[in-house]
Amino acid sequence: ETGVTQTPRHLVMGMTNKKSLKCEQHLGHNAMYWYKQSAKKPLELMFVYSLEERVENNSVPSRFSPECPNSSHLFLHLHTLQPEDSALYLCASSQDSAFGEQFFGPGTRLTVL
Amino acid sequence: GQQVMQIPQYQHVQEGEDFTTYCNSSTTLSNIQWYKQRPGGHPVFLIQLVKSGEVKKQKRLTFQFGEAKKNSSLHITATQTTDVGTYFCASRQAGTALIFGKGTTLSVSS
C-alpha cells in the first residue's frame, strides 16, 4: 500500500451535480497533488499544494475547485462537469514540493453523463 | 510547450525477450523519474536519475540518463509476465512542474 487513500473509488455524476473527491496521505509529506489521467493522454498535473498553500495551478477550468485544509487531506470539488471530464483522477503526495518521488493513491474513476 | 516524448507507445514481447523504452526531450532535464502502472492500477515510483550519464540497476531493470541530460532509457532483461504494464518517464525541467511522458505499454505473452 502506498499510504495515500482516495474516496470514492468510482463516481458517476450528471452534468448538473456537485460532488467532491477526497484524498488522505499517511506519510507525513508536505506536498499534495491532483492529476488527471485520460485515455491516450499523458498524466496531467492539475493542482499542487505545499504546506496547505496552493503553489501551482495548471490552468484548470473553474468547475474544478481544490481544497487543502491541512497537510494530510486534499479535496477536489466538482460542479457542472462535462462528459470530457470523465477520467481517472489521481492524488499524489511527496516529501516536499520539489516534485521528488511521487506516491500515488489508487485514483477515483469519474464518469460524467 | 515543454514535452517529454516517450517511445514506443506499445510493445509486445515474448516472455524472456528484452524490452526497452526511451524518453527524449529537446531541452535539458533537471532529473528523470520512472514509474510503472499495472493495468487497473496507479503509477508506482521506480527510480530517479539526476546525474549526467547516470546508470542504475534494479534486478532486471536498467535505467540510464544521457550525457546531455536530454534523454533516458529503461531496459528490462528477460521479461516476465509480471512486467506487464505502462512505464512512464517524468521530468522536471528548470522551474517547471513534473512533466510525464505518454508512457509505453508493455504486454508479455508466455
Side-chain angles (χ1 to χ4, degrees):
Chain A
E1 295 304 314
T2 64
V4 180
T5 58
Q6 289 186 244
T7 56
R9 296 292 306 276
H10 300 272
L11 177 62
V12 179
M13 59 187 290
M15 290 190 285
T16 58
N17 292 157
K18 289 185 180 182
K19 297 287 185 183
S20 295
L21 310 185
K22 178 183 177 182
C23 174
E24 183 173 0
Q25 59 99 356
H26 313 274
L27 301 169
H29 289 166
N30 293 321
M32 297 186 76
Y33 312 79
W34 279 116
Y35 287 91
K36 176 183 178 182
Q37 187 174 40
S38 307
K40 301 181 181 179
K41 280 190 173 183
L43 274 164
E44 301 172 71
L45 178 66
M46 300 176 73
F47 300 102
V48 181
Y49 276 85
S50 176
L51 296 172
E52 302 154 44
E53 290 191 12
R54 187 191 303 182
V55 298
E56 195 148 348
N57 171 0
N58 281 13
S59 302
V60 177
S62 60
R63 57 186 183 269
F64 296 92
S65 175
E67 178 188 1
C68 188
N70 55 62
S71 60
S72 298
H73 294 84
L74 186 64
F75 295 89
L76 187 62
H77 304 299
L78 318 170
H79 65 97
T80 59
L81 294 191
Q82 304 298 312
E84 59 264 29
D85 296 322
S86 299
L88 181 67
Y89 288 85
L90 291 158
C91 173
S93 70
S94 66
Q95 185 63 47
D96 54 41
S97 64
F99 291 90
E101 176 181 350
Q102 307 262 299
F103 291 79
F104 285 86
T108 295
R109 174 67 63 183
L110 173 67
T111 302
V112 182
L113 301 175
Chain B
Q2 293 156 333
Q3 290 186 354
V4 176
M5 306 303 294
Q6 199 171 346
I7 56 171
Q9 188 174 356
Y10 300 99
Q11 182 78 60
H12 176 80
V13 299
Q14 294 289 322
E15 191 172 21
E17 293 181 337
D18 292 356
F19 160 76
T20 305
T21 174
Y22 301 89
C23 188
N24 301 300
S25 172
S26 59
T27 59
T28 302
L29 306 173
S30 301
N31 62 18
I32 195 88
Q33 297 178 5
W34 285 93
Y35 292 80
K36 176 184 179 181
Q37 186 172 16
R38 294 180 185 273
H42 55 274
V44 175
F45 176 84
L46 294 176
I47 208 160
Q48 175 170 282
L49 305 173
V50 179
K51 299 178 183 177
S52 168
E54 190 170 11
V55 177
K56 288 187 177 181
K57 291 190 176 183
Q58 291 179 350
K59 296 183 180 179
R60 294 179 294 104
L61 277 61
T62 302
F63 304 85
Q64 292 188 319
F65 202 8
E67 294 289 342
K69 298 183 75 172
K70 291 184 177 182
N71 55 71
S72 180
S73 65
L74 159 58
H75 180 82
I76 302 178
T77 303
T79 55
Q80 300 175 359
T81 54
T82 53
D83 295 324
V84 164
T86 300
Y87 293 85
F88 295 95
C89 63
S91 180
R92 188 176 189 216
Q93 295 151 341
T96 70
L98 201 61
I99 307 295
F100 279 82
K102 289 188 176 183
T104 296
T105 299
L106 172 66
S107 58
V108 180
S109 54
S110 56

